[in-house]
Structure formats: structure tokens, C-alpha cells
Amino acid sequence: MKNFVEELRWRGMIHDVMPGTEDLLLKEVVTAYVGIDPTADSLHIGHLVGIMMLRHLQSCGHRPVVLVGGATGMIGDPSGKSQERNLLDEPTLRHNQESIKKQIAKFLDFETKAENQALMVNNYDWMREFSFLGFIRDVGKHITVNYMMAKDSVKKRISGDTGEGMSFTEFTYQLVQGYDYLHLYKEYNCKLQMGGSDQWGNITTGTEMIRRIAGGEAYALTCPLITKADGGKFGKTEKGNIWLDPERTSPYQFYQFWINVSDADASRYIRIFTLRSKSEIEQLEAEHALAPHTRILQKALANDLTINVHSEADLQSAIEASEILFGKGTTETLRKLDEKTLLSVFDGVPQFEIEKESLNNDLNASDFLAGITAIFPSKGEARRTMKEGGVMFNREKITEETLITQSMLLNDRYILVQRGKKNYYLVIVK
RNA sequence: GGGGAGAUACCAGAGCGGUCAAAUGGGGCAGACUGUAAAUCUGUUGGCGAUGCCUUCGGAGGUUCGAAUCCUCCUCUCCCCA
């Protein structure tokens, strides 16, 4: 059996691991789980870390379980600074769960008939019928308040100078999550829970419950929170989260996100988010160091993830689009594109539709950019950016004086507007 | 319940009768350098038919030729004492 802990270790995916975990995983096929909140019907790339832990787990021969936190998601984990959660109704919950499962199925094998087939469960299914009295008698009885208060997440909130305090509901959160672990332990012989480093306290409440209530031994493993070298939040752009759902984040944007990762982050990310071997990654790093401008690491990262989350075909069109937009493309190359290619290339790019008549009479650039399209929020800003040389039409710089005419149209219908280096918009004339 | 401090642009934070569309920093946007990286440097950051005009300094009134600045009331925030 492949050494799972060792695998995560060289990938930099271990923050904390309970003693004995490694031995257990070498000795037998272990069932392990990661929890995910079903707050939306799509995952975003922040979720990918947990999924990749399970992916590696399964490829090491163990059995991954995805726990959808239908119940816990309603309460809200005090470790985060999250506000009160909204209670999801059951149809939404089920819908989200199904959508998420489809996405995860690209990483985990739910179909194999082998003993390590992946499994998805929802804690709503066993928490729903649990009565309050039943819970405090059967579960709460075994854990002391003293123990619960010792958790960092609780201490911070109670003693904090910020003095926010915490509600009883949030205080109870660790018991509910801990009970999940106990339930999975009894039901599936699940002996390992994994998660982000902020989950350590909650996970150990679970192992404690298993020890006291079931007299069993269970383990914990956490990975460091993913950071960016510049201190920003991982997985967020100005435009928001990077989602796995192509409707929310187009494959092109998804691909671009990974291509834009800084060198400092690329080495870490490629270990975490791809399945490439240690020697292969070290080889890539060596090549990258010799010719950093080719961005071999970023490309490998973007390739693997785009294929994994979307498809080979999506990757190809993302690459094609990127080459046209960021390569040596000129107005000439743009004009040579046939309509079909052009549309597929710009599929993931924001689009605006305008009337053909508006191009007839001396339309000036600022009216075009901030009037009939909403590429800029105001004419002032459009003018300013043009003055700074930051606006291009069909890859040629324009100025405030430029008039927009039909002769600019590509294929008689399109204008490619570029704002700054990276923002593209396709204007379609009807 | 008593006393005090405050609310300014995306955020933090100056300004305390005209020279204020409002210092400074952060953030954002753009440019240069590069590799669609990082760092750095530069410009810019209310709107518009633009040597001018309009809307902004918690809200509503008032004083004044003139208010972010002074007065009154209201709303909210923070601190101290009980």
C-alpha cells in the first residue's frame, strides 16, 4: 500500500497529523472523510484542497468519504468569522448535493466496485431526526464544557478583547461535527477525518467522542490553509470566486486563473492540485528556473486542472483563445479568423450587443465604451484610460478622438475591445 | 441612568468659515520594465456637453455674501462612571 501520509508530506499538504495515523494507514484500508458545506450548487477551487486529499487517499488504496454538511452548514462554524448561516430548505440541499457530487466524481471514483469506492453522505440524514433531548443526553453527556472551552476557536470568542461573544448554537457546533465523526465511525468504520488546519479543534472533539462513547481509536489530519505569496486570499479574483461550474466560471477564465499564478505560488500549487509525481514536478521546476518566461509550471498546473474539472476539448479552446489574446496576434490575425473560431475563442469573454445603426454617424469612443456598452462605468474613466493608452480595439490602440465605424468590424459583426492587458470584451453588432 | 468622544470619498484617516471635489496612506485602474509572474517606478482614482457646470463630507433644518467646517434637533457608533 502506498504511504498516504508520506505522499501528502512531500506535497506540503500536512499541517498537523495525530500520532499513529501513518501506521494505521500502512496497516489496513482506511475509510476517511472530509466535510463540505453545501452552500451553493457548485464547488469553488478552495474546496479542491479537501477533494485532492481524498483523491490521493483513494489512489493510495483507501476509501474516501465526502460528508455534505447539510446539518452543520445550517449552524455555522465559529472557527471562521462567518456570520449566521441561512437554513437551506431540503430541495435546495439535495440539489446542491447532487451538483457537487457530479463535480467531485471527476476526482473520485464513486463507481468502482472495489472496496475503496468513494461514498457521499449528508449529515442532515442522521441529524434531522435527532431530538434535542436525545442529543444532549446521548452525546452532550460525554463531553465536558471544560473540554469544549479549551478549544482555540471557543477561547478566542469568549475571552477575546474583540468581545463578540458567541451564541450557544455556535458553541455546540463542535459537538455536532464531532458526532458526525462518531456516526461515520460506527456506520462505516471511518477512522480518519481530514480538513483544513482551522478544523483541527472540531476534528479532535470527534476523536474524543469516539474514544469516550465508542471506546474506539480515530485519527486526524489537517492541511495548511492555502495562501498566496503576496498575502491575498487564495482562489479569489476581483471578479469573485473561481468556481468549478462552467456557467459560473468559464473554462477559459478557469484556465487563465491558473496561468496567472505567480512563480512563488506555482511550485506549491502544482504539488497540491495535480497528481504529478515528485520527480516530474522537480523536473518541471528545473526547466522553469532555466526559462521562467515560458511558465512551464503554470501551464502544467492549468492543463491538468482544466482537463480534470472541464475537459480536454475545453482546455484546447482555452489555450487557443489565450494564444490569440496574449500571443503575437494582430488585427490581421483577428481578421483572418472565421466567425465560428472567433466565437468559440471568445466564448468565455464578456459580451455586449449593440445596434448596427449606432455605428452610422460618427460615434465617438467614449460614448461607445461607456454609453451604448458598459465596458467602462463612466465616460470619464473611459477617457482617462484611453489617454493612458489602455484601450485597444482589435488589438490596436485607440484614442479619445477615434471614431467607431463599421470598417472596424471583424466578420462584419464583431469588435474586440481590450482594456488594459488582460480584460477583453466582445461587442456584437446586431 | 450619568458623563465624554465621534460619524469625511472603496477603506483608514487629515481638514475645523472662503485658496476644498477635500491632504496622506492603503486598495482599485492604467502605463513603463518584464514573462499574461513578483518587485519597482509613474500616472490616475465623483459625474458631465469640461479653462466651466452639477452632485458629495451621517440625516433634517438654521446662521452667513460664503459651511465638511458655526448653531439646533434627529439617527447611529465608541469610551468612561453607575
Side-chain angles (χ1 to χ4, degrees):
Chain A
M1 199 170 285
K2 242 170 104 188
N3 186 336
F4 173 64
V5 173
E6 182 50 37
E7 180 76 15
L8 291 193
R9 196 172 283 136
W10 76 258
R11 290 182 185 274
M13 292 172 78
I14 291 188
H15 182 263
D16 230 331
V17 54
M18 212 177 254
T21 307
E22 191 163 357
D23 292 340
L24 174 80
L25 285 152
L26 288 170
K27 204 170 66 203
E28 61 185 58
V29 174
V30 174
T31 300
Y33 89 96
V34 166
I36 289 180
D37 274 355
T39 41
D41 64 1
S42 172
L43 300 176
H44 52 76
I45 57 176
H47 290 114
L48 240 34
V49 187
I51 305 296
M52 289 310 290
M53 284 201 281
L54 292 177
R55 176 75 182 83
H56 290 300
L57 181 92
Q58 190 170 38
S59 65
C60 287
H62 301 287
R63 183 191 197 197
V65 174
V66 178
L67 180 142
V68 172
T72 31
M74 291 174 179
I75 298 175
D77 181 357
S79 331
K81 46 189 174 290
S82 42
Q83 300 293 304
E84 287 287 327
R85 301 290 178 92
N86 284 330
L87 205 137
L88 297 166
D89 59 53
E90 194 166 346
T92 310
L93 191 61
R94 296 299 175 198
H95 166 75
N96 291 353
Q97 179 176 348
E98 276 315 300
S99 307
I100 289 171
K101 184 169 181 179
K102 277 186 204 128
Q103 295 179 336
I104 296 178
K106 296 192 167 174
F107 290 84
L108 301 180
D109 190 348
F110 288 95
E111 301 300 325
T112 178
K113 294 293 177 253
E115 66 173 333
N116 68 335
Q117 173 175 334
L119 181 72
M120 177 177 269
V121 295
N122 190 332
N123 61 9
Y124 185 67
D125 290 330
W126 60 82
M127 289 309 300
R128 161 173 55 182
E129 303 298 342
F130 219 140
S131 76
F132 180 72
L133 276 177
F135 190 81
I136 57 174
R137 191 190 59 187
D138 297 340
V139 179
K141 183 80 179 154
H142 299 277
I143 298 290
T144 63
V145 169
N146 311 50
Y147 178 82
M148 293 170 71
M149 302 256 290
K151 303 285 177 185
D152 274 352
S153 60
V154 175
K155 263 196 290 193
K156 228 177 279 167
R157 290 286 290 276
I158 289 184
S159 67
D161 312 317
T162 39
E164 280 301 301
M166 83 193 294
S167 70
F168 178 72
T169 309
E170 282 185 305
F171 181 59
T172 316
Y173 180 88
Q174 56 174 298
L175 290 185
V176 181
Q177 185 171 330
Y179 181 78
D180 287 341
Y181 198 175
L182 175 65
H183 177 88
L184 293 178
Y185 174 82
K186 286 185 183 163
E187 219 45 41
Y188 302 103
N189 193 30
C190 176
K191 290 184 186 167
L192 176 64
Q193 183 180 172
M194 305 188 287
S197 53
D198 58 330
Q199 291 302 311
W200 183 258
N202 293 330
I203 297 175
T204 52
T205 300
T207 61
E208 187 66 13
M209 264 188 210
I210 290 168
R211 186 173 303 123
R212 294 197 191 175
I213 299 176
E217 199 65 39
Y219 300 86
L221 188 157
T222 55
C223 74
L225 291 180
I226 309 300
T227 56
K228 287 206 305 184
D230 66 8
K233 212 169 182 183
F234 170 75
K236 298 254 187 186
T237 66
E238 328 68 68
K239 292 169 192 82
N241 277 325
I242 303 294
W243 299 88
L244 304 200
D245 180 356
E247 295 300 312
R248 291 175 187 250
T249 301
S250 72
Y252 165 75
Q253 289 165 328
F254 184 86
Y255 177 82
Q256 279 291 320
F257 173 82
W258 297 105
I259 282 291
N260 273 305
V261 161
S262 71
D263 289 9
D265 294 325
S267 279
R268 287 187 300 127
Y269 294 173
I270 198 167
R271 285 172 167 73
I272 295 171
F273 296 108
T274 76
L275 296 174
R276 294 183 188 236
S277 70
K278 189 173 183 184
S279 59
E280 197 179 346
I281 289 174
E282 282 166 355
Q283 172 69 29
L284 286 172
E285 284 175 324
E287 286 173 35
H288 189 278
L290 287 176
H293 57 281
T294 56
R295 280 175 302 146
I296 290 171
L297 283 173
Q298 284 90 336
K299 279 181 185 160
L301 188 60
N303 270 43
D304 288 15
L305 278 157
T306 308
I307 291 179
N308 212 327
V309 170
H310 299 291
S311 70
E312 178 72 43
D314 286 326
L315 170 66
Q316 286 316 320
S317 48
I319 291 176
E320 203 178 326
S322 301
E323 271 175 7
I324 289 167
L325 297 178
F326 294 103
K328 299 172 283 293
T330 60
T331 306
E332 294 318 305
T333 49
L334 280 175
R335 287 200 182 278
K336 276 183 212 143
L337 290 180
D338 63 84
E339 182 160 6
K340 191 158 167 272
T341 318
L342 194 124
L343 279 181
S344 73
V345 161
F346 299 124
D347 188 40
V349 162
Q351 307 190 345
F352 293 94
E353 291 194 346
I354 63 169
E355 301 296 329
K356 192 156 197 168
E357 295 80 65
S358 44
L359 294 185
N360 288 339
N361 34 332
D362 300 352
L363 180 66
N364 71 50
S366 57
D367 281 331
F368 179 84
L369 292 167
I372 60 176
T373 70
I375 293 171
F376 283 84
S378 74
K379 293 180 193 176
E381 193 167 334
R383 272 193 285 265
R384 203 183 302 130
T385 311
M386 284 189 275
K387 205 181 296 165
E388 290 164 335
V391 183
M392 301 214 265
F393 277 24
N394 302 333
R395 300 195 62 99
E396 281 177 355
K397 277 190 184 170
I398 61 155
T399 66
E400 211 181 314
E401 286 73 39
T402 308
L403 295 176
I404 316 302
T405 64
Q406 301 201 5
S407 64
M408 288 179 165
L409 297 176
L410 303 170
N411 281 303
D412 260 351
R413 292 194 60 194
Y414 308 100
I415 295 177
L416 178 67
V417 180
Q418 183 177 358
R419 175 192 183 178
K421 272 187 194 131
K422 295 185 193 174
N423 306 300
Y424 287 90
Y425 307 86
L426 185 65
V427 177
I428 303 171
V429 178
K430 285 203 296 189

